Amino acid sequence: MPLQLPAAFQPYFWPTIFILIIILVFPLVAGYIVLLERKVMADIQVRLGPMRVGPHGLLQPIADAVKLLIKEDIIPANADKWVFWLAPVISVTAAFVSFSVIPFSDKFYITDVNIGLLFITAVSSVGILGIILGGWSSNSHYPLLGALRSAAQLVSYEVALGFALIGGLMVASTLSMQGIVKAQLDAGMWFVFYQPVACFIYVVAALAETNRAPFDMPEAESEIVAGYHTEYSGFRFSLYFLAEYSNIVVVSAIAVTLFFGGWLRPFPNVQALDFLRYTPIIAMIVLAGLSFMGAGRESRPPEKIGMAGLGIVCLMLAGLFAMPAVLTWIQGLFWFSLKVALCIYGFIWVRFTFPRYRYDQLMNIGWHWLIPLAIANVIVTGIVMVLKGS
Amino acid sequence: MNVLPGFFFYLLSAIILGGAILTITRRNAVHSAIWLIVTLLGVAGIYLNQHAEFLAAVQVLVYIGGIMVLFLFVIMLVNLDEAAKQRQFNHQWTIAVGCALALMAELAYFIVKGRESFRFGDTGTGTLNPDAAVIEFLKSCRDIPGLGPGGFLQPNTELIACALYRDYLLPFEIASVLLLVAIVGAVVMAKKEI
């Protein structure tokens, strides 16, 4: 490290840099997840999706962000102003604090604590309060209904989620997020193969926890307008959106860490597949090629230049990754991001494939199916582990 | 001497006490609930300050994520405007003042007695020193990275598991049966026909 800091501050230098990177970059990432969602939705519904702002709508998130920020900020009459102000802040803070223990790679993580996974579940359970208080403070009927629904739904599914996590933890036998990944490296196996039932329950419960379709009861547009954030506008609304997409990334990151090997590349123990470490370079070259092809097909000059520029940026990144030091550093981050992106794609896919459940069906699934199944999974795992004597 | 743990203890205590006072003085039940959440978060902070990470996370998960969410759920179903208009204090204030004065005298006595402990002391480096038998037991379960003196990760969760499931198994099971009885009782009272 070129910078010489006092010894007391040394351990905080890199975490502070990582915190700044995440806080500055993540809103942009969230914007592009929204774009991805709209594009995938359009593809599933045989449309084109956003195409106007930038080539293939690539600048749409920035336009959306500007629109949200310059909108009028409305507080309903007789709303509880103090709580109305506080609620989105709780949501977004809780969502961002969860990032502090997520292992993006073996080098890029803010901290590794001995209660990592428990810490994330605890912090995200605080985020629920933002939804409930926001719905209550709006002094309006639909938000209140949305808040009531989400309180009941989130408390119900948190139990199943917890039991699913316990199934995975019994195999990993540590709560530290880096430790879980290392346990999978030692086992030479992703835990999804040891715990397929827990993984399934986790994904279903995580969909419910993040208010995603088919469990988007708290904001069901066809029933209660927009649920808990009906009365929110402008910047406060965008805070809720940021929290929601952060939560999606966080639950995907937990799923990837606990069940899909975290930042490990596929088959990390097989020497013959070592050539997989060059995947980031190849991925960037393929992206560059696609961008140049897209540039060839564009008719308007600004979009031609934009696509070509994107291709050049991808090529430059490929060149940067070709440096051995950078390649080693980027390795874990690349696989982790790739897995999380695939997980998010799965979430979006589910959203546009399944119709929304009725409220009684939702409670029925949670209490009558998921929780007993999760408990049975924990018991069976325990019995098997005792019999195997590990 | 490191004063930070002591400083954080007093800061968190101030937050806890301030939150508790605001909890009982707010007229609006939702505001009371929010201050109660602040108080509970402060308690979680105290646990963290004492290097009981597992306890801190469970405190947040159970009390804030579970119980307070259910509190808010119930509060929303209640007509708040009606409740706010009602008198919140009853006529037994003479007895209450007597009790409060007695309690204050008691507290003052203890504070004077124990004033030695109010300095910004060192609460330790946070390295747990489980006895040799516990370390042997933990190591026989599996290889814990960084366990032992000077280790980077403290086996906080493992030690709690040892205490609950090995040393105090019977009281733990009795407590869980007690909770089960309470749940069954609540269901029987709430449901008209089962």
Side-chain angles (χ1 to χ4, degrees), chain B residues 94-165:
Chain B
T94 39
I95 305 167
V97 165
C99 289
L101 283 178
L103 199 66
M104 270 175 73
E106 217 173 305
L107 272 177
Y109 174 73
F110 282 122
I111 288 172
V112 171
K113 263 287 202 194
R115 59 183 176 278
E116 280 299 299
S117 56
F118 278 87
R119 64 194 158 71
F120 278 69
D122 199 347
T123 55
T125 56
T127 312
L128 291 171
N129 284 319
D131 58 61
V134 174
I135 287 188
E136 273 312 303
F137 176 74
L138 286 177
K139 288 222 160 137
S140 71
C141 296
R142 68 185 185 82
D143 188 31
I144 299 165
L147 178 63
F152 59 97
L153 285 183
Q154 295 300 315
N156 192 268
T157 316
E158 286 85 350
L159 288 176
I160 286 180
C162 264
L164 278 186
Y165 294 110

Side-chain angles (χ1 to χ4, degrees), chain B residues 58-77:
Chain B
V58 169
Q59 162 88 8
V60 174
L61 187 64
V62 172
Y63 282 94
I64 298 174
I67 292 175
M68 286 316 294
V69 168
L70 289 179
F71 268 31
L72 283 168
F73 187 79
V74 173
I75 289 171
M76 275 180 219
L77 295 173

Side-chain angles (χ1 to χ4, degrees), chain A residues 17-352:
Chain A
I17 299 280
F18 290 152
I19 289 171
L20 286 177
I21 290 176
I22 287 173
I23 289 179
L24 292 178
V25 170
F26 191 76
L28 195 67
V29 174
Y32 276 93
I33 295 173
V34 176
L35 179 68
L36 178 77
E37 178 150 20
R38 292 176 67 179
K39 279 291 190 186
V40 174
M41 159 167 59
D43 190 44
I44 289 174
Q45 297 170 347
V46 203
R47 298 184 284 116
L48 284 175
M51 289 293 279
R52 295 283 172 187
V53 192
H56 289 275
L58 274 176
L59 297 177
Q60 186 74 39
I62 292 154
D64 282 346
V66 171
K67 180 200 78 174
L68 279 171
L69 290 181
I70 59 176
K71 264 193 168 179
E72 188 188 353
D73 178 30
I74 301 166
I75 297 181
N78 291 329
D80 195 320
K81 285 197 184 59
W82 189 68
V83 182
F84 194 80
W85 173 86
L86 185 71
V89 177
I90 294 178
S91 273
V92 90
T93 312
F96 268 59
V97 167
S98 306
F99 279 110
S100 57
V101 290
I102 286 178
F104 293 97
S105 82
D106 49 348
K107 297 184 183 65
F108 185 86
Y109 62 95
I110 294 172
T111 183
D112 181 31
V113 292
N114 57 356
I115 50 160
L117 196 54
L118 198 65
F119 179 80
I120 298 183
T121 41
V123 167
S124 53
S125 74
V126 175
I128 299 171
L129 292 171
I131 293 178
I132 298 173
L133 291 175
W136 174 80
S137 65
S138 301
N139 189 33
S140 171
H141 293 291
Y142 292 123
L144 188 64
L145 279 174
L148 285 176
R149 283 179 173 199
S150 75
Q153 171 181 332
L154 297 179
V155 167
S156 310
Y157 277 77
E158 211 167 42
V159 181
L161 187 93
F163 274 112
L165 289 180
I166 288 174
L169 285 179
M170 287 169 82
V171 188
S173 64
T174 176
L175 278 164
S176 138
M177 296 293 269
Q178 291 285 348
I180 291 169
V181 177
K182 289 193 179 107
Q184 294 179 70
L185 183 63
D186 293 340
M189 183 85 95
W190 290 358
F191 285 156
V192 66
F193 298 112
Y194 289 148
Q195 289 285 330
V197 181
C199 184
F200 172 74
I201 294 167
Y202 176 78
V203 169
V204 174
L207 281 173
E209 284 282 305
T210 47
N211 297 327
R212 298 283 301 178
F215 302 104
D216 58 345
M217 227 58 65
E219 43 190 305
E221 290 88 352
S222 51
E223 300 161 21
I224 49 172
V225 190
Y228 62 90
H229 57 57
T230 306
E231 301 290 349
Y232 279 86
S233 60
F235 182 59
R236 291 170 216 273
F237 173 76
S238 63
L239 281 186
Y240 266 129
F241 239 68
L242 188 58
E244 195 171 322
Y245 280 89
S246 317
N247 280 330
I248 292 167
V249 173
V250 168
V251 295
S252 309
I254 297 176
V256 165
T257 306
L258 190 56
F259 295 113
F260 298 102
W263 40 261
L264 299 171
R265 67 170 166 79
F267 305 104
N269 299 331
V270 181
Q271 292 285 324
L273 289 172
D274 264 353
F275 63 86
L276 277 176
R277 58 182 275 112
Y278 299 109
T279 325
I281 306 175
I282 298 164
M284 279 302 143
I285 291 174
V286 170
L287 270 182
L290 285 175
S291 301
F292 287 133
M293 262 170 62
R297 280 200 306 232
E298 293 288 349
S299 50
R300 284 183 290 171
E303 306 200 335
K304 246 188 194 339
I305 297 167
M307 282 307 259
L310 195 66
I312 291 167
V313 168
C314 286
L315 271 187
M316 278 162 70
L317 277 176
L320 188 68
F321 292 168
M323 285 153 67
V326 178
L327 187 63
T328 318
W329 207 89
I330 209 82
Q331 200 61 224
L333 196 58
F334 173 78
W335 289 112
F336 189 82
S337 316
L338 186 69
K339 286 172 187 175
V340 168
L342 285 176
C343 207
I344 291 171
Y345 181 81
F347 275 18
I348 298 171
W349 192 2
V350 166
R351 173 171 173 185
F352 297 107

